[in-house]
Amino acid sequence: MGDLMRRFWQPALLASELPAPDCPPVRVRLLGEDLVAFRDSDGRVGLLAEHCAHRGASLYFGRVEAGGLRCVYHGWKWDADGACLEMPNEPATSTFKDRVRQPAYATREKAGLIWAYLGPPGTAGDLPGMEWLGLPPDHLHVSKWILEANYLQGMEGEVDSAHISFLHTNYDLDSVGMGEDFGRVSNWRNDLAPALTVNETDYGFVYGSRRNYQDGRRYHWRLTHWLLPTYSLIPGTRWPIGGRCWVPIDDEHTWTFNYWYNADAPIPESDLAWIESGIQVPPVLIPGTFKPVRNKENDYQIDREAQRTRSYTGIYGGGTQDRAIVESMGPIYDRTKEHLVSTDVAVIAARRILLRAARDLQEGRAPGAAAGGSMYRARPVDVISEHAQLGAVLREHADEIQARTERSYLSLVAR
Amino acid sequence: MGDLMRRFWQPALLASELPAPDCPPVRVRLLGEDLVAFRDSDGRVGLLAEHCAHRGASLYFGRVEAGGLRCVYHGWKWDADGACLEMPNEPATSTFKDRVRQPAYATREKAGLIWAYLGPPGTAGDLPGMEWLGLPPDHLHVSKWILEANYLQGMEGEVDSAHISFLHTNYDLDSVGMGEDFGRVSNWRNDLAPALTVNETDYGFVYGSRRNYQDGRRYHWRLTHWLLPTYSLIPGTRWPIGGRCWVPIDDEHTWTFNYWYNADAPIPESDLAWIESGIQVPPVLIPGTFKPVRNKENDYQIDREAQRTRSYTGIYGGGTQDRAIVESMGPIYDRTKEHLVSTDVAVIAARRILLRAARDLQEGRAPGAAAGGSMYRARPVDVISEHAQLGAVLREHADEIQARTERSYLSLVAR
Amino acid sequence: MGDLMRRFWQPALLASELPAPDCPPVRVRLLGEDLVAFRDSDGRVGLLAEHCAHRGASLYFGRVEAGGLRCVYHGWKWDADGACLEMPNEPATSTFKDRVRQPAYATREKAGLIWAYLGPPGTAGDLPGMEWLGLPPDHLHVSKWILEANYLQGMEGEVDSAHISFLHTNYDLDSVGMGEDFGRVSNWRNDLAPALTVNETDYGFVYGSRRNYQDGRRYHWRLTHWLLPTYSLIPGTRWPIGGRCWVPIDDEHTWTFNYWYNADAPIPESDLAWIESGIQVPPVLIPGTFKPVRNKENDYQIDREAQRTRSYTGIYGGGTQDRAIVESMGPIYDRTKEHLVSTDVAVIAARRILLRAARDLQEGRAPGAAAGGSMYRARPVDVISEHAQLGAVLREHADEIQARTERSYLSLVAR
């Protein structure tokens, strides 16, 4: 599965972690590898193996100097591609520096993120063409935090529309800034057992969750995308569109990258305070870290009185509710103990597609979705419709969702 | 050995940890299993596997609601027996909930404790009939704390009368509130090499430790019980009777449950302050935890000056002295490095009985003591006697100790 | 390699950790073994296995009493050789105490250190005869701290003259108290690629690093000793002579012992403040521990602005710079990823000699250097010379270095 993950461009860190040319380097752990990222004098980002190829000193303590990152142990200087620019402890006549390379990965910078490709040289496709990658900075909010669990557990929460009827229920909706959308959000509690249908696509799938609407006549449909390997695009409540991706740090830790965006307008100043409050995502972080203040060591500051009276969980903030549940499963949940039901159909579909793609890669067939690009130009919607079938809703909103729906996908669980 | 432990009712938590119907659930780890305990609307205590049978979310974050514990991820609601009362994310027509069970263990509530039976269904006997289980609440003080070591190390200290002549010596006896009993306690230092005799019984054994009494003529006998699997009953100094049991959390951690009682009268108010001072047991705990303030991270706050002048150990409190020594052996002591002597005869007897019972169980013979009940009605005594043989002292105090002594048990170590 | 290490006397702890007869004992972990050191009533130091031979209680909590260390569990009392002086819980007639011994290692006290021999009985040689072991206390400063990495990584930094041109560069030399020696230290930056030559000796090797001197005509030679198993003797800048040895605590932790000395005069009072400032070694320690305040948990308090403008690393203090780099390699660096160059010739030589000696010992040939004594009477120098060959410089300064140079040692790396 790690080999499959490496065939996709993925966010590695926030661009703001490397704010300027020649700023201090930062540590980045991805897929079990310890790396160091730096921004050279020209603004280009390098992503190198953490330990210097000479004697293993950490390049995190290195000096970012004209054109490269210099190890402070013996002064070897590496450029963003891993070439050795200087080897000053060797005699001037030595050519050894031309024969040594520091392991390095390709990077790109877009949408406030540094993207990395960790796959074999020559196999990289394009960045995924999700529309938020092309937006002006003021239309977009990106953030990251640590999930102390396997990536899959986090990702599964994104294709599980049913849980919002429970986990994210706040009896006092005003307290979460849901005023204008009250009607639709409250519909989550109107129908607790949504019917899910998965429609496989080139990039993964679009799935629809259908709830009876509170007018007793129509349906409340949420059409959500899952894009390989771990992206989601989810229709907002207060926000037009958001989503997350889940980049493995290692088997038991995950970078959660979150993106909120409005394709049509800048984010109002007043909303930034709402975002930073932790009421939705991102969570409030411990300063100087990407670890949330509410975390498993303090039981996410659960308030049992609030749980009894105002909030389903007693845990403040939707993102923290998700994280609490996902981490509570333990670092890697033993899924042989699960008992899946009909609302888990999208979870099952995502697992099958990932496993199929991993097996295909083992047999020499690279994942088609790794080509990236315009294939990823999908948009989620949250609509009230008279249609009872996903196909009809997809047709009704075809322009808006822009999703390819070439293959039909039968419901996977029927007990 | 874990299988043997599971054949006995054992304390799982304090009843006071679940103070009222529908109060928040608590985590309980027992025998390497993560569990959640809750008290339902009728006051009944459930002890369930921590992770919800659906997708593994921790039920610790659950809502305790009319009749059961509801997982906050998708709202599945479990009763105290592990039956699924509601599965709201399934269609109303689904019968799946009748086919899923949450793993659950039987519980009983008695003597301020929640007792659990973790053995195979249908094999449970009675609670052990020790007299303190039937006393009014004001005659009894129960407490619990964490021992950061294997249960056996803790338990062995309970059948080791010799160590009290050393480990618990305070040259200034008034400081430990031993005023009236000064004579008898000081006799611990009068004879440092007690002669131990073990008398096996149905519930385990009664053993006698005989010290020469300071009048130069009689003997100071302490008759102490060890009851399967890990209970002790010990004659008090200030207190009539006490004891502890040692419930494995996992191989390297143990719940110590302590019971002080007076069968004939309530505990005076003034004595509660003495108990809470940590001078004996329980130790003073870090608020909100069951971890003692004096612990291995701070060397139990050893006072080397006190050790030089007033206290054998320089460690405050008898229970903390025991815990310090037991934890100082490491999480699981390598007993191939031991050199046992004659005062270790009861330690050897307890190990042999446990090993024999574990082997018997492997061969299909369940432990007789697991029947529990009146077999456990034993009482320890601390007496001055003219008799030199355990048999004669047992006969002299037969009514008082009420112990069965059907089998004789020869001294196990004779170097 | 552990067996080889055990054939040499090595520092185990500072003598000042046991300041007086019958003072409290201290824990000492060496070569993966947990030990306890104590000073008996006669001032003799015992070094015993931590866990009492009786039932495994830690002797760290023991009482140091007339002639020995007494376990507080049952009062067994051990002398500094591991003989049992008293076994008070046994009957007076028992002779068992004459047949039990507590594992104990030989110790000596010299130069402010307690030395230990952990090898097989009867195989110990003499203490190494380095001149600082014979100096008056006021000529010598010894200290110790913890390195959170394998000993070899630390030791390799001692035979790596090249790194001082980089890692320890301070552009503002006055700030490190280098005033008078400014010229020579600045020469480190005048020639970044010293030529190293290793000359094997009975005790290990002497090696010379040759830099072009800034007068454009002569050479700046530093002749440094490496003495089995892990000692260095290094010419000072501000200090005449210093060195360190690296005693394994276990595979991933090391005691660093540091010695500064002036063979000819007491250390001036004013210099002690310089030493305690942490600007060189020792580092400033967390009170009550041997862990430095600047450590890996806080990135050694790296100051990135200082790194940009004043100091090559931004890390305060030469010793902390070394430690930061060595620990940054991880607890045990995977040397298959290294790319060694010509300035690593002494590192390679030390590894080869250690491996050869370990293999010899496996085949029954004990290391000759384990005889210790006068063989170790070497002294490092830092000189400006017209000679280009190590042999000529060794002859020129033969009296001063007093090193045996019977075998010639060819340069090991020639790319």
Side-chain angles (χ1 to χ4, degrees), chain B residues 233-302:
Chain B
L233 288 171
I234 295 179
T237 48
R238 183 189 179 103
W239 274 94
I241 303 179
R244 303 177 200 167
C245 79
W246 307 83
V247 182
I249 296 173
D250 50 35
D251 286 346
E252 304 195 345
H253 302 82
T254 303
W255 293 122
T256 309
F257 285 93
N258 186 82
Y259 30 94
W260 290 117
Y261 69 97
N262 186 335
D264 306 316
I267 298 174
E269 190 68 34
S270 63
D271 286 349
L272 291 173
W274 181 82
I275 289 174
E276 298 304 327
S277 74
I279 188 61
Q280 185 55 275
V281 283
V284 178
L285 301 178
I286 297 172
T289 78
F290 290 97
K291 177 162 181 147
V293 166
R294 296 178 180 88
N295 58 50
K296 67 176 179 178
E297 278 79 36
N298 57 27
D299 284 342
Y300 310 93
Q301 300 184 355
I302 188 171

Side-chain angles (χ1 to χ4, degrees), chain B residues 326-387:
Chain B
V326 164
E327 293 182 349
S328 86
M329 298 172 185
I332 305 180
Y333 185 58
D334 173 7
R335 291 182 176 75
T336 63
K337 296 187 173 170
E338 284 179 335
H339 294 80
L340 300 179
V341 292
S342 52
T343 58
D344 298 313
V345 61
V347 167
I348 294 167
R351 291 180 190 175
R352 289 195 179 173
I353 292 170
L354 281 172
L355 284 171
R356 190 179 66 205
R359 274 193 295 262
D360 283 351
L361 182 61
Q362 275 184 321
E363 293 165 8
R365 294 186 298 280
S374 61
M375 185 196 313
Y376 279 71
R377 191 162 295 278
R379 188 182 278 191
V381 293
D382 180 304
V383 294
I384 311 301
S385 170
E386 299 189 349
H387 294 298

Side-chain angles (χ1 to χ4, degrees), chain C residues 301-379:
Chain C
Q301 298 183 356
I302 189 170
D303 177 340
R304 294 288 190 180
E305 177 61 18
Q307 183 175 32
R308 210 174 57 80
T309 56
R310 297 189 305 275
S311 147
Y312 206 73
T313 56
I315 294 170
Y316 181 86
T320 302
Q321 290 157 7
D322 284 333
R323 189 164 38 85
I325 283 300
V326 164
E327 292 182 350
S328 86
M329 297 172 187
I332 303 180
Y333 185 59
D334 173 6
R335 290 181 177 75
T336 63
K337 296 188 175 171
E338 284 180 335
H339 293 81
L340 299 178
V341 292
S342 53
T343 59
D344 298 313
V345 62
V347 166
I348 295 167
R351 291 180 189 176
R352 288 195 180 175
I353 292 170
L354 281 171
L355 285 171
R356 191 179 65 207
R359 276 193 293 261
D360 282 351
L361 182 61
Q362 275 185 319
E363 292 165 7
R365 293 185 300 280
S374 61
M375 185 198 310
Y376 278 71
R377 191 163 294 278
R379 187 182 280 189

Side-chain angles (χ1 to χ4, degrees), chain C residues 91 116 137 160 167 173 177 205 304 343:
Chain C
D160 173 15
L167 188 66
L173 287 168
F205 61 68
R304 294 288 190 180
T343 59

Side-chain angles (χ1 to χ4, degrees), chain A residues 342-398:
Chain A
S342 53
T343 59
D344 298 313
V345 61
V347 167
I348 294 167
R351 291 179 189 176
R352 290 194 180 174
I353 292 170
L354 281 172
L355 285 171
R356 191 180 65 204
R359 275 192 294 261
D360 282 351
L361 183 61
Q362 275 184 320
E363 293 166 6
R365 293 185 299 280
S374 61
M375 186 197 309
Y376 278 71
R377 192 162 293 278
R379 188 183 279 188
V381 294
D382 180 303
V383 293
I384 311 302
S385 169
E386 301 189 348
H387 294 297
Q389 298 302 317
L390 175 62
V393 183
L394 287 175
R395 277 189 297 277
E396 186 178 44
H397 297 272

